[in-house]
Amino acid sequence: MTRLKGSDLLALGFMTFALFLGAGNIIFPPSAGLAAGENLLPAALGFLLTGVGLPLLTVVALARVGGGMDLLTAPLGKVAGAILAVAVYLAIGPLFATPRTAVVSFEMGIAPFTGNEGAPLLIYTLVYFVAVLFLSLNPGQLVDRIGKFITPVLLAALLVLGGAALFAPAGEIGVVADSYREAPLVQGFLQGYLTMDTLGALVFGIVIASAIRDRGVSDAGLITRYSVIAGVIAAIGLSLVYLALFYLGATSQGIAGDAQNGVQVLTTYVQHTFGTAGSLLLAVVITLACMTTAVGLLTACGEFFSKLLPVSYRSVVILFGVFSLVVANQGLTQLISFSIPVLVGLYPLAIVLVALSLANRLWVSQSLVFVPVMAVTLVFGVADGVAATPWADKVPAWFGQLPLAGQSLGWLLPVAVTLVLVVVIDRILGLRQNATTA
């Protein structure tokens, strides 16, 4: 029975870390830290819950069922499960997350030197996606190419940036913005949505499991164990990066107080601390982080859609790569504005799906529990998503009167009530079934 050596397991963990560390992981913590100011700790804790905790739990849930989202959604039925999976894969694939990796890496790493015009963006994204496609078309080499070569370079650059943030802050921790004054933990929790990491984890599970199998491991128990270990290594790395970037943002109000996003916070801090050399360092960090995530997303989409549809893995990867290239050239601002309502609508479904899957041994009938709870989550998730668009007035007023509705968490109470009711019914029917059998 083949087992992974310590070095291979560490490389697998590094690969997993690199898959998760993308555009959103680097641009959102500094902006959240800037706004949180003196409420840095509760805001960072909330961010870690959705930015690290939920993705780790998702990796664990997927590892328990064998690595594929199709197995995780099986209790919903084939059609409903496929629709949810397609929505998640498209959101974190060619529609939002994959193009965002290219645009963010351009705006942070290249635009300071070339300007923000259309021609440099087009040239950069062409080169970027050629490199991404090269790595994605041979998924069996991901551990070697990313885990053993690209990630160590990325980690070294992050250590320099994180060390500077901790030991050479731009100033003192700043004041608290209004949005973080009353409920900083909840606000940080919602900011963690924007990393897309929980949705990413739903599709990276199959990439991690496939990478383990490509190393010759066939035992299901070992694949599960190695997937969880890789997830833990990635979670530790992400936590350290987030905390350093939160602190960087919180101590940068003096030099970046007017910044509108994390891109501006980071570029201002790096230019202030390192000058031109720092801008080059940031370009390396951003480009490598975004590229590895894009490779993971394209690989996952290729694995999924080549099994769902009668098309080859290679065709899916090339098609989605080209489509992502086109979307990327629409600009970062439009991408973020379009993605927020979708994420607000999808994240509750992902959270509830993972929670129910982790507790699946408690249910007598998984379908009886999963279907109504996920249906209620869908209704309220869609309402919260529409409320985050210009058509918010179309949502019935009573949705906005639910507890935590103002924080896009109005789905929590209805879902919890539904879960309690269906669990009671599940237990009653289970007891009757046992009595009949006896």
Side-chain angles (χ1 to χ4, degrees):
M1 183 169 57
T2 304
R3 294 176 179 269
L4 293 183
K5 296 184 293 186
S7 59
D8 288 332
L9 195 55
L10 188 61
L12 179 69
F14 281 176
M15 181 202 77
T16 306
F17 168 78
L19 291 178
F20 279 110
L21 188 69
N25 310 79
I26 292 177
I27 66 173
F28 293 117
S31 60
L34 183 76
E38 294 175 351
N39 282 338
L40 169 68
L41 290 180
L45 176 60
F47 193 94
L48 291 179
L49 288 175
T50 44
V52 177
L54 286 176
L56 177 58
L57 290 177
T58 304
V59 170
V60 172
L62 286 166
R64 290 175 71 236
V65 300
M69 188 177 172
D70 55 335
L71 297 174
L72 205 65
T73 59
L76 297 175
K78 191 172 182 179
V79 175
I83 292 174
L84 176 59
V86 167
V88 170
Y89 273 92
L90 290 178
I92 59 88
L95 293 182
F96 300 123
T98 306
R100 190 178 71 178
T101 64
V103 182
V104 169
S105 61
F106 170 78
E107 293 207 359
M108 294 187 67
I110 307 299
F113 303 100
T114 65
N116 213 0
E117 301 299 323
L121 174 62
L122 177 61
I123 295 171
Y124 173 79
T125 51
L126 281 170
V127 175
Y128 178 90
F129 279 109
V130 166
V132 168
L133 284 172
F134 172 75
L135 293 170
S136 302
L137 289 174
N138 296 285
Q141 302 297 316
L142 282 182
V143 173
D144 288 330
R145 290 175 175 170
I146 293 180
K148 292 185 177 180
F149 296 107
I150 296 179
T151 308
V153 177
L154 175 59
L155 285 174
L158 283 171
L159 282 173
V160 174
L161 182 60
L166 294 176
F167 299 109
E172 299 294 325
I173 293 178
V175 298
V176 183
D178 291 340
S179 58
Y180 281 83
R181 196 173 303 280
E182 294 184 1
L185 189 143
V186 173
Q187 191 63 32
F189 184 92
L190 293 174
Q191 287 294 309
Y193 276 12
L194 300 179
T195 66
M196 297 192 190
D197 277 354
T198 299
L199 300 181
L202 285 171
V203 303
F204 286 152
I206 194 170
V207 178
I208 298 168
S210 297
I212 295 171
R213 293 189 186 98
D214 289 334
R215 310 302 287 185
V217 179
S218 57
D219 181 75
L222 285 178
I223 293 174
T224 299
R225 185 191 309 172
Y226 292 153
S227 297
V228 173
I229 292 173
V232 170
I233 293 173
I236 293 172
L238 288 171
S239 297
L240 294 176
V241 170
Y242 290 156
L243 291 173
L245 292 177
F246 255 86
Y247 186 71
L248 182 154
T251 54
S252 296
Q253 285 192 10
I255 61 171
D258 296 329
Q260 301 299 311
N261 53 54
V263 173
Q264 296 175 9
V265 176
L266 271 176
T267 51
T268 302
Y269 171 82
V270 167
Q271 186 66 36
H272 169 81
T273 306
F274 297 106
T276 303
S279 297
L280 293 173
L281 170 68
L282 186 62
V284 171
V285 172
I286 295 300
T287 302
L288 289 179
C290 292
M291 187 175 293
T292 51
T293 298
V295 170
L297 295 174
L298 272 186
T299 300
C301 287
E303 296 275 1
F304 174 75
F305 284 101
S306 63
K307 293 178 180 178
L308 182 68
L309 303 171
V311 291
S312 67
Y313 169 87
R314 183 181 184 87
S315 298
V316 174
V317 168
I318 293 175
L319 175 63
F320 280 14
V322 173
F323 188 87
S324 297
L325 167 66
V326 174
V327 175
N329 280 273
Q330 305 307 308
L332 180 61
T333 302
Q334 285 184 308
L335 274 177
I336 292 178
S337 63
F338 283 126
S339 67
I340 288 177
V342 177
L343 293 179
V344 170
L346 277 179
Y347 246 87
L349 289 168
I351 293 171
V352 174
L353 176 65
V354 171
L356 294 178
S357 299
L358 288 171
N360 61 357
R361 293 171 185 169
L362 299 177
W363 325 129
V364 178
S365 171
Q366 291 194 49
S367 295
L368 178 62
V369 175
F370 272 66
V371 172
V373 174
M374 289 292 288
V376 171
T377 306
L378 173 63
V379 171
F380 286 89
V382 169
D384 282 343
V386 174
T389 70
W391 300 283
D393 58 330
K394 304 297 183 182
V395 179
W398 63 269
F399 277 93
Q401 297 171 359
L402 292 168
L404 297 177
Q407 289 78 37
S408 297
L409 293 172
W411 56 272
L412 274 176
L413 181 60
V415 169
V417 171
T418 304
L419 178 60
V420 171
L421 292 175
V422 297
V423 167
V424 170
I425 296 172
D426 179 63
R427 289 302 174 89
I428 292 173
L429 293 179
L431 290 173
R432 288 180 178 177
Q433 182 178 356
N434 291 337
T436 303
T437 304

